[in-house]
Amino acid sequence: MDVTIIIDSLPSLVKATVMTLFLSCLSVLIALVIGFSTALIRILKVKILYEIASMYISIIRGTPLLVQIFVIYYGLPQIGISLDPISSGIMALSLNAGAYLSESFRASILAVDRGQMEAAISMGMTYGQAMRRIILPQSLRIAIPTLSNSFIVLVKDTSLVSVITVTELLQMSSLIIAKTFEPLTIYLVAAAIYWILITFFTTMLDKFEKRSSKYLAR
C-alpha cells in the first residue's frame, strides 16, 4: 500500500465526499416530504391520489434502485424530460427513499391507539389539530429508529449514482484508480471514508433518538 498515493488522492476523495453528503442530505429532505405526504394520502384514503400513491410505492419497492436511476437519466429524455446527472441522482434517491419512508410514517401513525384520536375529537379538536398535537408527536417517536436507518441506507446508496457519472466518492475512486492503477489501496480508502461517515451519522442519530424520546415522552 503506497502511502504517497493515499496522501495525493485525499483532496479529491474529500471533495467527492462532500458531494456524497450533499446528495444524501438533499435527497433525504425531499424523501421526508414525499414519504409523509404519501403516508397521509394513504391513511386518509384520498380519492384518486390514494391509487396513485399505492402504485408509486408498489413500483418503487418492486424495482431495483439502479433500474430507477437508469429510467430517470436515460429514459426520461425520450419523452422530452432531460435532467443532468446530479438532478437525476437526487430524483432517483428521493423517490426511492420516499416510498420506504412512506410506509414507515404510515405504520407509526397507525400504531398510535385510535382511541386517542376519538378522545381528542370528543374534546372539541378538529382532525388536523388532533393529528398535530396528539398523534404525530407519538408517531414520530415510533418512527425515528426506522427513519434513522433509512438515512444510513441512503448514504450508502449514493454510490449507485456513479453509474450516471455523478462524481461522488465511488466515482472519484474509480477515476483515481484509472490514473494510479492501485484499486486495492483506493477502494480501501473509500471504504474507510464510508465507514467513518456511517459511524458518525449512526452515533449522532442514536443520540438524537434518545433525546427525542425523552422530549416527546413529556
Side-chain angles (χ1 to χ4, degrees):
M1 183 177 293
D2 193 332
V3 177
T4 304
I5 292 177
I6 296 176
I7 295 173
D8 291 341
S9 302
L10 276 179
S12 296
L13 291 174
V14 169
K15 184 178 179 180
T17 301
V18 173
M19 174 58 72
T20 293
L21 292 173
F22 170 74
L23 292 170
S24 302
C25 294
L26 183 55
S27 296
V28 78
L29 289 175
I30 297 173
L32 286 171
V33 175
I34 294 173
F36 184 71
S37 302
T38 307
L40 285 182
I41 289 172
R42 297 192 71 201
I43 290 173
L44 298 176
K45 296 185 178 180
V46 181
K47 291 182 179 180
I48 301 177
L49 292 179
Y50 176 85
E51 299 298 331
I52 295 174
S54 298
M55 181 62 67
Y56 153 67
I57 292 172
S58 177
I59 292 173
I60 295 297
R61 298 182 69 185
T63 56
L65 174 55
L66 189 58
V67 173
Q68 295 161 23
I69 292 171
F70 283 147
V71 168
I72 291 172
Y73 185 65
Y74 294 112
L76 291 185
Q78 293 189 347
I79 58 173
I81 303 175
S82 297
L83 299 173
D84 61 80
I86 293 177
S87 298
S88 297
I90 291 173
M91 182 176 179
L93 292 169
S94 300
L95 289 174
N96 184 271
Y100 289 94
L101 289 177
S102 174
E103 292 300 280
S104 298
F105 280 126
R106 180 170 171 269
S108 63
I109 292 173
L110 294 178
V112 178
D113 187 359
R114 185 177 298 179
Q116 296 192 43
M117 172 63 78
E118 297 173 353
I121 292 176
S122 68
M123 293 175 63
M125 291 187 186
T126 63
Y127 183 87
Q129 291 174 329
M131 283 291 289
R132 187 174 65 256
R133 298 176 183 178
I134 307 297
I135 306 302
L136 292 182
Q138 297 182 71
S139 66
L140 178 61
R141 181 173 56 182
I142 298 171
I144 284 176
T146 306
L147 298 180
S148 299
N149 184 65
S150 295
F151 178 69
I152 297 302
V153 172
L154 181 59
V155 173
K156 292 185 286 187
D157 281 348
T158 57
S159 61
L160 292 176
V161 300
S162 63
V163 299
I164 54 173
T165 70
V166 176
T167 313
E168 45 67 67
L169 185 53
L170 184 61
Q171 174 71 358
M172 180 58 72
S173 300
S174 299
L175 294 174
I176 294 172
I177 289 168
K179 297 177 181 178
T180 62
F181 302 102
E182 290 283 349
L184 179 60
T185 300
I186 301 302
Y187 280 138
L188 283 177
V189 173
I193 294 174
Y194 276 117
W195 177 73
I196 291 170
L197 289 177
I198 298 303
T199 301
F200 171 76
F201 283 122
T202 300
T203 302
M204 296 302 294
L205 289 170
D206 285 344
K207 291 181 178 179
F208 175 73
E209 180 184 341
K210 291 177 182 178
R211 290 183 180 180
S212 299
S213 296
K214 291 180 180 178
Y215 174 78
L216 293 172
R218 295 176 182 177

